[in-house]
Amino acid sequence: MVVPHHASGARLARHRLAADLADLVPPTLLADLVAVLAELVGNAVRHARPLPGGVVRVAWRLRGSVDSPGIQLRVTDGGAGEGPRMRTADPDAADGRGLHIVAGLASRWGVDRDGLGQSVWAEFDPAGLTRPDLVVAG
């Protein structure tokens, strides 16, 4: 899906993700997915340029097989001068913890770059997917 490169983009993405996956994943996993997606979109809006049209692209994929069930979230923006990195935040700081949250909830995360921008992704390898054979793309 495409959302505005604006704070409202995170809200739109969270609501759509929750609606699409509510019947497919356990509630605790859905809460983690929503939290990570909010962080990734929020970081794209705060720290990166928009894609053409003033937007950020948001995608998720529920993929699975018996051997390798999982979910991937991906947020694509126009890139920034400096790529995403974890920072050390002071206890009183209002920000600086987002990628620590992502790293703590996701199985792994990373950044892919191309000539148009960057995609920050997070993958979850959860147990207990309701339908591990189903593929849903957002």
Side-chain angles (χ1 to χ4, degrees), residues 11-27:
R11 180 181 47 81
L12 294 169
R14 285 191 329 261
H15 287 284
R16 174 77 181 274
L17 175 73
D20 282 0
L21 299 184
D23 295 331
L24 301 174
V25 300

PDB file of all heavy atoms in Angstrom, residues 11-27:
ATOM      1  N   ARG A  11      -0.458   5.785  10.897  1.00  0.00           N
ATOM      2  CA  ARG A  11      -1.780   5.384  11.381  1.00  0.00           C
ATOM      3  C   ARG A  11      -2.521   4.577  10.321  1.00  0.00           C
ATOM      4  O   ARG A  11      -3.095   3.521  10.602  1.00  0.00           O
ATOM      5  CB  ARG A  11      -2.595   6.611  11.788  1.00  0.00           C
ATOM      6  CG  ARG A  11      -3.987   6.257  12.289  1.00  0.00           C
ATOM      7  CD  ARG A  11      -4.790   7.496  12.679  1.00  0.00           C
ATOM      8  NE  ARG A  11      -4.754   8.562  11.699  1.00  0.00           N
ATOM      9  CZ  ARG A  11      -5.513   8.602  10.587  1.00  0.00           C
ATOM     10  NH1 ARG A  11      -6.352   7.634  10.326  1.00  0.00           N
ATOM     11  NH2 ARG A  11      -5.417   9.622   9.765  1.00  0.00           N
ATOM     12  N   LEU A  12      -2.498   5.059   9.080  1.00  0.00           N
ATOM     13  CA  LEU A  12      -3.172   4.347   7.998  1.00  0.00           C
ATOM     14  C   LEU A  12      -2.587   2.951   7.813  1.00  0.00           C
ATOM     15  O   LEU A  12      -3.326   1.974   7.651  1.00  0.00           O
ATOM     16  CB  LEU A  12      -3.049   5.145   6.696  1.00  0.00           C
ATOM     17  CG  LEU A  12      -3.773   6.481   6.654  1.00  0.00           C
ATOM     18  CD1 LEU A  12      -3.347   7.271   5.421  1.00  0.00           C
ATOM     19  CD2 LEU A  12      -5.275   6.271   6.674  1.00  0.00           C
ATOM     20  N   ALA A  13      -1.273   2.840   7.838  1.00  0.00           N
ATOM     21  CA  ALA A  13      -0.618   1.543   7.665  1.00  0.00           C
ATOM     22  C   ALA A  13      -0.945   0.593   8.809  1.00  0.00           C
ATOM     23  O   ALA A  13      -1.228  -0.588   8.585  1.00  0.00           O
ATOM     24  CB  ALA A  13       0.891   1.736   7.538  1.00  0.00           C
ATOM     25  N   ARG A  14      -0.914   1.100  10.047  1.00  0.00           N
ATOM     26  CA  ARG A  14      -1.232   0.257  11.216  1.00  0.00           C
ATOM     27  C   ARG A  14      -2.640  -0.307  11.113  1.00  0.00           C
ATOM     28  O   ARG A  14      -2.865  -1.505  11.342  1.00  0.00           O
ATOM     29  CB  ARG A  14      -1.117   1.063  12.506  1.00  0.00           C
ATOM     30  CG  ARG A  14       0.261   1.340  12.964  1.00  0.00           C
ATOM     31  CD  ARG A  14       0.297   1.919  14.383  1.00  0.00           C
ATOM     32  NE  ARG A  14      -0.845   2.716  14.763  1.00  0.00           N
ATOM     33  CZ  ARG A  14      -0.890   4.055  14.753  1.00  0.00           C
ATOM     34  NH1 ARG A  14       0.151   4.740  14.345  1.00  0.00           N
ATOM     35  NH2 ARG A  14      -1.973   4.689  15.144  1.00  0.00           N
ATOM     36  N   HIS A  15      -3.599   0.553  10.785  1.00  0.00           N
ATOM     37  CA  HIS A  15      -4.998   0.101  10.710  1.00  0.00           C
ATOM     38  C   HIS A  15      -5.194  -0.937   9.612  1.00  0.00           C
ATOM     39  O   HIS A  15      -5.905  -1.928   9.809  1.00  0.00           O
ATOM     40  CB  HIS A  15      -5.938   1.292  10.516  1.00  0.00           C
ATOM     41  CG  HIS A  15      -6.098   2.118  11.743  1.00  0.00           C
ATOM     42  ND1 HIS A  15      -6.865   1.729  12.812  1.00  0.00           N
ATOM     43  CD2 HIS A  15      -5.564   3.312  12.080  1.00  0.00           C
ATOM     44  CE1 HIS A  15      -6.809   2.652  13.765  1.00  0.00           C
ATOM     45  NE2 HIS A  15      -6.017   3.619  13.346  1.00  0.00           N
ATOM     46  N   ARG A  16      -4.574  -0.740   8.474  1.00  0.00           N
ATOM     47  CA  ARG A  16      -4.723  -1.695   7.368  1.00  0.00           C
ATOM     48  C   ARG A  16      -4.072  -3.028   7.715  1.00  0.00           C
ATOM     49  O   ARG A  16      -4.636  -4.092   7.453  1.00  0.00           O
ATOM     50  CB  ARG A  16      -4.121  -1.095   6.105  1.00  0.00           C
ATOM     51  CG  ARG A  16      -4.062  -2.017   4.919  1.00  0.00           C
ATOM     52  CD  ARG A  16      -5.410  -2.191   4.228  1.00  0.00           C
ATOM     53  NE  ARG A  16      -5.300  -3.100   3.129  1.00  0.00           N
ATOM     54  CZ  ARG A  16      -4.936  -2.784   1.888  1.00  0.00           C
ATOM     55  NH1 ARG A  16      -4.652  -1.538   1.591  1.00  0.00           N
ATOM     56  NH2 ARG A  16      -4.870  -3.701   0.964  1.00  0.00           N
ATOM     57  N   LEU A  17      -2.870  -2.985   8.291  1.00  0.00           N
ATOM     58  CA  LEU A  17      -2.195  -4.217   8.692  1.00  0.00           C
ATOM     59  C   LEU A  17      -3.048  -4.986   9.702  1.00  0.00           C
ATOM     60  O   LEU A  17      -3.254  -6.192   9.559  1.00  0.00           O
ATOM     61  CB  LEU A  17      -0.827  -3.900   9.298  1.00  0.00           C
ATOM     62  CG  LEU A  17      -0.059  -5.092   9.866  1.00  0.00           C
ATOM     63  CD1 LEU A  17       0.487  -5.953   8.748  1.00  0.00           C
ATOM     64  CD2 LEU A  17       1.066  -4.617  10.763  1.00  0.00           C
ATOM     65  N   ALA A  18      -3.545  -4.295  10.695  1.00  0.00           N
ATOM     66  CA  ALA A  18      -4.364  -4.944  11.728  1.00  0.00           C
ATOM     67  C   ALA A  18      -5.614  -5.576  11.114  1.00  0.00           C
ATOM     68  O   ALA A  18      -5.986  -6.700  11.466  1.00  0.00           O
ATOM     69  CB  ALA A  18      -4.736  -3.950  12.819  1.00  0.00           C
ATOM     70  N   ALA A  19      -6.251  -4.877  10.195  1.00  0.00           N
ATOM     71  CA  ALA A  19      -7.458  -5.415   9.560  1.00  0.00           C
ATOM     72  C   ALA A  19      -7.127  -6.630   8.686  1.00  0.00           C
ATOM     73  O   ALA A  19      -7.854  -7.632   8.712  1.00  0.00           O
ATOM     74  CB  ALA A  19      -8.135  -4.330   8.728  1.00  0.00           C
ATOM     75  N   ASP A  20      -6.038  -6.556   7.934  1.00  0.00           N
ATOM     76  CA  ASP A  20      -5.684  -7.655   7.032  1.00  0.00           C
ATOM     77  C   ASP A  20      -5.256  -8.922   7.762  1.00  0.00           C
ATOM     78  O   ASP A  20      -5.498 -10.023   7.282  1.00  0.00           O
ATOM     79  CB  ASP A  20      -4.555  -7.232   6.089  1.00  0.00           C
ATOM     80  CG  ASP A  20      -5.031  -6.355   4.942  1.00  0.00           C
ATOM     81  OD1 ASP A  20      -6.240  -6.059   4.865  1.00  0.00           O
ATOM     82  OD2 ASP A  20      -4.174  -5.963   4.124  1.00  0.00           O
ATOM     83  N   LEU A  21      -4.592  -8.788   8.906  1.00  0.00           N
ATOM     84  CA  LEU A  21      -4.005  -9.958   9.565  1.00  0.00           C
ATOM     85  C   LEU A  21      -4.728 -10.394  10.844  1.00  0.00           C
ATOM     86  O   LEU A  21      -4.333 -11.390  11.451  1.00  0.00           O
ATOM     87  CB  LEU A  21      -2.527  -9.699   9.866  1.00  0.00           C
ATOM     88  CG  LEU A  21      -1.634  -9.441   8.653  1.00  0.00           C
ATOM     89  CD1 LEU A  21      -0.181  -9.300   9.092  1.00  0.00           C
ATOM     90  CD2 LEU A  21      -1.781 -10.513   7.592  1.00  0.00           C
ATOM     91  N   ALA A  22      -5.774  -9.697  11.234  1.00  0.00           N
ATOM     92  CA  ALA A  22      -6.445  -9.980  12.511  1.00  0.00           C
ATOM     93  C   ALA A  22      -6.884 -11.433  12.649  1.00  0.00           C
ATOM     94  O   ALA A  22      -6.791 -12.009  13.732  1.00  0.00           O
ATOM     95  CB  ALA A  22      -7.636  -9.049  12.700  1.00  0.00           C
ATOM     96  N   ASP A  23      -7.359 -12.042  11.582  1.00  0.00           N
ATOM     97  CA  ASP A  23      -7.843 -13.421  11.657  1.00  0.00           C
ATOM     98  C   ASP A  23      -6.781 -14.453  11.277  1.00  0.00           C
ATOM     99  O   ASP A  23      -7.072 -15.649  11.241  1.00  0.00           O
ATOM    100  CB  ASP A  23      -9.056 -13.596  10.734  1.00  0.00           C
ATOM    101  CG  ASP A  23     -10.244 -12.773  11.192  1.00  0.00           C
ATOM    102  OD1 ASP A  23     -10.364 -12.519  12.404  1.00  0.00           O
ATOM    103  OD2 ASP A  23     -11.046 -12.372  10.318  1.00  0.00           O
ATOM    104  N   LEU A  24      -5.569 -13.984  11.006  1.00  0.00           N
ATOM    105  CA  LEU A  24      -4.536 -14.890  10.515  1.00  0.00           C
ATOM    106  C   LEU A  24      -3.397 -15.135  11.483  1.00  0.00           C
ATOM    107  O   LEU A  24      -2.679 -16.126  11.335  1.00  0.00           O
ATOM    108  CB  LEU A  24      -3.962 -14.359   9.198  1.00  0.00           C
ATOM    109  CG  LEU A  24      -4.971 -14.172   8.072  1.00  0.00           C
ATOM    110  CD1 LEU A  24      -4.308 -13.498   6.888  1.00  0.00           C
ATOM    111  CD2 LEU A  24      -5.573 -15.509   7.676  1.00  0.00           C
ATOM    112  N   VAL A  25      -3.195 -14.233  12.424  1.00  0.00           N
ATOM    113  CA  VAL A  25      -2.086 -14.373  13.367  1.00  0.00           C
ATOM    114  C   VAL A  25      -2.597 -14.165  14.789  1.00  0.00           C
ATOM    115  O   VAL A  25      -3.608 -13.506  14.997  1.00  0.00           O
ATOM    116  CB  VAL A  25      -0.929 -13.384  13.053  1.00  0.00           C
ATOM    117  CG1 VAL A  25      -0.379 -13.619  11.661  1.00  0.00           C
ATOM    118  CG2 VAL A  25      -1.374 -11.952  13.215  1.00  0.00           C
ATOM    119  N   PRO A  26      -1.902 -14.711  15.762  1.00  0.00           N
ATOM    120  CA  PRO A  26      -2.312 -14.524  17.164  1.00  0.00           C
ATOM    121  C   PRO A  26      -2.263 -13.037  17.552  1.00  0.00           C
ATOM    122  O   PRO A  26      -1.431 -12.280  17.028  1.00  0.00           O
ATOM    123  CB  PRO A  26      -1.274 -15.318  17.955  1.00  0.00           C
ATOM    124  CG  PRO A  26      -0.661 -16.264  16.978  1.00  0.00           C
ATOM    125  CD  PRO A  26      -0.736 -15.593  15.643  1.00  0.00           C
ATOM    126  N   PRO A  27      -3.122 -12.616  18.470  1.00  0.00           N
ATOM    127  CA  PRO A  27      -3.179 -11.202  18.871  1.00  0.00           C
ATOM    128  C   PRO A  27      -1.854 -10.630  19.379  1.00  0.00           C
ATOM    129  O   PRO A  27      -1.533  -9.477  19.090  1.00  0.00           O
ATOM    130  CB  PRO A  27      -4.239 -11.174  19.982  1.00  0.00           C
ATOM    131  CG  PRO A  27      -5.077 -12.382  19.735  1.00  0.00           C
ATOM    132  CD  PRO A  27      -4.169 -13.409  19.128  1.00  0.00           C
TER     133      PRO A  27
END
